[in-house]
């Protein structure tokens, strides 16, 4: 199948490389000349496992990059639109990039095409895309519009794409669904997984994945509702974590107790400094706006968003209760990306927290395995970057853990202790056991668990007084 993917960001580039790995011929189109030049030079613009291998395997062969939308459309049967849908000032999705691509597609339609929304868009977008294409001269019979929402997570994007929990195809007519079925056939019939060179299967993957065929509107809603539900799970457990802090319970034990209920499940019950990234924050406000437009006041989403914002304030209060005044304090920070495994800092809670701490007059020395340079640019060089976790901790009044990179969970605690000016760790991601930290001589704050301080005899001490001071 000849496929065009418009947008070479986290979704478009990964989708393009994976479609090529499924055996299709793919042209990825972007209007960012710098990005295209880097891709054509063989560079990999984002940090994603297995993406370098796939680009190396298919670039110049089954995978091409171009700025010419019209010829990509002429040469393709399916055109996936994967451009950004950022929030506007009212919190609605800004669909101007999608509209501009739809106009560009209209003028180039030369035989039957399907136009597929891969970007996350509000319900009714498929109707609008159809109208725009018709308005710009295409014939009704020459194209169909489908919604094929993408559920990949940054950091594991390639394996999420190739080993998805499900593939949702929202198509209102059979001829359109048939094209999408053919594109995903190697995953749905399992043949991709038999190949010796297929990307390795992750632990939890169910193969082959189910294909769910819906109307275009249902598919659009599935994406917004999925993200809203996942964000709700995070805010729910963060609210429970706040109660744990007040009463001296341990949120990890509570998570184990509720997560083993198969109706609830353990995933996404991750207490911490809240969700961020380029999807959840904007998708929640966009979904709320869609609901409002339909006459439904989705107040549950207001609360999910409020709890998420409050979680960052609670963390700042924790830093204050550990250090008293903040002006002039030197803080080591581990993590800048919005989550582990990615270099994406969009709406990263770490960046938002650092910006607040800089405003309070703190000095920050931060380390992130992938997002350092992007973060420094975003924070306008207000931070110093370290080469590793120990350098970030060197001479600091306290160490803050803000992103759940795997390497931050396995630090040499003796070395860390030796580097810090005061052995204080404030962990926004619950990467360590409080008892272990106390036994290693740290005063340790985390989320939804008692703060602990070192016991002179070497055993951990529950520091109820420390916990109390973080109550809101
Ligand atoms: N990032 C994720 O984890 C993720 C997951 C699922 C869905 N999504 C959704 O997918 C969409 C894309 O997200 P992303 O993170 O890949 O965005 P991104 O900002 O990384 O990439 C978007 C790309 O589109 C290009 N672009 C914009 N206008 C264009 C035009 N007119 N012609 C050609 N190229 C154009 C930009 O230059 C950019 O390279 C969004 O709607 C997002 O909500 C993202």
């Amino acid at each position: 199948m000849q496929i065009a993917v418009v947008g070479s960001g986290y979704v478009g580039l990964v989708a393009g490389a994976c479609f090529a790995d499924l055996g299709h011929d793919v042209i990825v189109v972007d209007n960012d000349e710098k990005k295209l030049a880097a891709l054509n030079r063989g560079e990999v613009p984002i940090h994603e496992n297995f993406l370098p291998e796939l680009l190396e395997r298919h670039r110049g062969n089954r995978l091409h990059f171009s700025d010419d939308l019209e010829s990509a459309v002429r040469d393709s049967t399916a055109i996936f639109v994967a451009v950004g849908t950022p929030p506007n000032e009212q919190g609605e999705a800004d669909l101007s990039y999608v509209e501009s691509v739809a106009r560009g597609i209209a003028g180039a339609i030369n035989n039957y095409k399907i136009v597929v929304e891969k970007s996350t868009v509000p319900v009714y977008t498929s109707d609008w895309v159809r109208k725009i294409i018709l308005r710009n001269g295409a014939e009704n019979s020459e194209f169909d519009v489908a919604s094929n929402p993408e559920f990949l997570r940054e950091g594991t994007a390639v394996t999420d794409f190739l080993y998805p929990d499900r593939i949702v195809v929202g198509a209102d007519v059979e001829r359109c669904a048939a094209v999408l079925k053919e594109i995903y056939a190697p995953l749905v019939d399992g043949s991709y997984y038999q190949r010796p060179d297929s990307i390795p299967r992750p632990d939890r993957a169910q193969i082959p994945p189910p294909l769910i065929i819906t109307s275009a509107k249902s598919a659009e809603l599935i994406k917004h509702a999925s993200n809203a539900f996942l964000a709700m799970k995070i805010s729910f457990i963060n609210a429970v974590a706040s109660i744990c802090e007040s009463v001296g319970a341990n949120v990890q034990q509570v998570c184990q107790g509720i997560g083993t209920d198969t109706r609830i499940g353990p995933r996404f019950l991750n207490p911490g400094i809240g969700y961020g990234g380029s999807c959840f924050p904007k998708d929640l406000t966009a979904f709320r706006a869609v609901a409002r437009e339909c006459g439904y006041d989705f107040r549950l989403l207001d609360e999910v968003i409020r709890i998420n914002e409050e979680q960052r304030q609670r963390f700042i209060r924790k830093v204050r209760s550990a250090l008293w005044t903040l002006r002039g304090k030197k803080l080591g920070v581990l993590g800048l990306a919005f989550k582990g495994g990615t270099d994406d800092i969009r709406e990263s809670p770490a960046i938002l927290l650092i910006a607040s701490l800089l405003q309070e007059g703190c000095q920050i020395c931060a380390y992130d395995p992938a997002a350092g340079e992007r973060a420094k640019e975003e924070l306008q060089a207000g931070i110093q970057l370290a080469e590793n976790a120990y350098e970030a901790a060197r001479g600091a009044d306290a160490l803050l853990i803000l992103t759940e990179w795997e390497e931050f969970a396995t630090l040499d605690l003796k070395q860390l202790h030796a580097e810090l000016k005061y052995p204080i760790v404030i962990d926004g991601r619950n990467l360590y056991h409080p008892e272990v930290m106390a036994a290693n001589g740290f005063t340790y704050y985390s989320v939804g668990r008692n703060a602990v301080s070192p016991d002179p005899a070497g055993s951990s001490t529950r520091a109820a007084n420390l916990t109390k001071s973080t109550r809101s």
Side-chain angles (χ1 to χ4, degrees):
M1 178 85 66
Q2 296 278 342
I3 293 176
V5 179
V6 190
S8 67
Y10 286 85
V11 169
L13 187 58
V14 168
C18 291
F19 283 143
D21 211 42
L22 298 185
H24 304 301
D25 289 311
V26 183
I27 309 173
V28 175
V29 179
D30 207 293
N31 58 4
D32 180 336
E33 291 300 331
K34 269 204 208 145
K35 213 181 237 189
L36 287 174
L39 285 165
N40 280 321
R41 277 197 304 273
E43 291 168 21
V44 186
I46 52 172
H47 179 92
E48 274 303 334
N49 272 341
F50 299 114
L51 187 59
E53 288 90 324
L54 288 188
L55 293 181
E56 177 69 28
R57 204 182 273 182
H58 301 298
R59 187 189 284 116
N61 177 19
R62 281 211 290 265
L63 181 63
H64 297 271
F65 301 102
S66 163
D67 63 354
D68 187 347
L69 175 63
E70 295 201 356
S71 70
V73 171
R74 275 194 297 274
D75 291 347
S76 305
T77 305
I79 301 111
F80 286 80
V81 181
V83 297
T85 48
N88 66 17
E89 276 177 10
Q90 290 74 45
E92 297 156 353
D94 174 356
L95 298 172
S96 56
Y97 303 100
V98 174
E99 181 178 351
S100 129
V101 173
R103 276 198 307 270
I105 292 171
I109 292 183
N110 53 342
N111 50 30
Y112 179 67
K113 315 277 178 203
I114 65 164
V115 179
V116 190
E117 301 164 354
K118 210 32 159 171
S119 301
T120 301
V121 291
V123 67
Y124 288 120
T125 303
S126 56
D127 284 354
W128 269 108
V129 168
R130 158 167 288 282
K131 269 187 221 164
I132 295 297
I133 296 177
L134 288 173
R135 232 178 241 177
N136 285 276
E139 292 290 327
N140 209 11
S141 59
E142 285 180 323
F143 75 99
D144 286 307
V145 179
S147 165
N148 170 222
E150 184 48 60
F151 301 100
L152 64 76
R153 297 158 300 169
E154 289 176 23
T156 51
V158 169
T159 45
D160 286 346
F161 192 97
L162 294 168
Y163 294 86
D165 289 342
R166 77 298 206 190
I167 297 164
V168 174
V169 163
D172 296 329
V173 290
E174 180 46 38
R175 65 172 182 175
C176 175
V179 177
L180 279 158
K181 281 184 200 161
E182 193 182 328
I183 290 172
Y184 285 107
L187 299 183
V188 177
D189 67 18
S191 57
Y192 175 76
Y193 308 115
Q194 310 298 323
R195 279 175 24 194
D197 64 345
S198 62
I199 293 295
R201 177 183 178 172
D203 284 348
R204 270 191 291 254
Q206 229 198 80
I207 54 173
L211 179 76
I212 299 172
I213 309 272
T214 69
S215 68
K217 286 193 184 80
S218 297
E220 290 166 335
L221 272 173
I222 285 169
K223 177 63 191 177
H224 264 164
S226 297
N227 276 2
F229 193 89
L230 291 170
M232 180 183 73
K233 229 174 156 184
I234 295 175
S235 281
F236 178 84
I237 202 62
N238 278 333
V240 172
S242 301
I243 298 171
C244 288
E245 285 177 12
S246 297
V247 300
N250 180 329
V251 74
Q252 298 305 148
Q253 293 173 355
V254 175
C255 285
Q256 194 188 4
I258 58 182
T260 41
D261 184 327
T262 49
R263 292 168 303 176
I264 299 173
R267 293 171 73 190
F268 262 71
L269 288 178
N270 299 329
I273 50 177
Y275 61 78
S278 68
C279 292
F280 284 3
K282 83 166 171 62
D283 291 348
L284 257 77
T285 54
F287 195 27
R288 188 173 57 174
V290 167
R292 203 181 299 130
E293 225 169 276
C294 302
Y296 183 74
D297 187 8
F298 209 151
R299 272 179 284 176
L300 177 61
L301 298 186
D302 295 343
E303 198 52 22
V304 170
I305 295 165
R306 190 196 63 73
I307 293 169
N308 198 54
E309 285 164 3
E310 164 74 11
Q311 206 58 15
R312 291 198 297 272
Q313 302 311 319
R314 289 182 68 85
F315 190 78
I316 296 274
R317 284 202 291 277
K318 246 171 223 165
V319 178
R320 257 186 222 295
S321 72
L323 297 178
W324 190 25
T325 66
L326 294 183
R327 181 158 303 282
K329 292 278 158 70
K330 186 169 179 230
L331 302 177
V333 167
L334 300 186
L336 297 161
F338 85 92
K339 60 182 267 194
T342 179
D343 57 353
D344 197 345
I345 56 159
R346 291 178 285 184
E347 295 291 320
S348 167
I351 300 291
L352 297 168
L353 282 168
I354 290 171
S356 301
L357 292 166
L358 288 172
Q359 255 186 354
E360 298 270 1
C362 296
Q363 293 166 41
I364 308 277
C365 181
Y367 168 65
D368 187 286
E373 288 307 326
R374 282 181 190 220
K376 198 163 179 175
E377 213 174 293
E378 172 78 16
L379 293 161
Q380 288 163 356
I383 59 168
Q384 198 188 327
L385 287 183
E387 290 292 312
N388 56 51
Y390 305 104
E391 194 185 312
R394 196 160 299 153
D397 292 284
L399 184 73
L400 274 46
I401 303 179
L402 301 184
T403 307
E404 70 281 31
W405 281 95
E406 267 173 39
E407 68 173 82
F408 297 161
T410 54
L411 296 172
D412 178 334
L413 295 178
K414 284 204 168 49
Q415 190 180 344
L416 195 65
H417 193 283
E419 297 286 5
L420 282 162
K421 183 170 169 194
Y422 303 111
I424 300 171
V425 173
I426 308 162
D427 182 356
R429 300 293 187 174
N430 285 5
L431 296 189
Y432 287 92
H433 288 292
E435 302 74 26
V436 172
M437 294 304 276
N440 278 277
F442 291 94
T443 296
Y444 177 72
Y445 296 78
S446 55
V447 180
R449 303 180 298 183
N450 284 312
V452 292
S453 54
D455 180 292
S459 65
S460 65
T461 305
R462 224 179 82 168
N465 56 332
L466 297 179
T467 309
K468 248 188 224 157
S469 58
T470 66
R471 288 180 191 170
S472 57

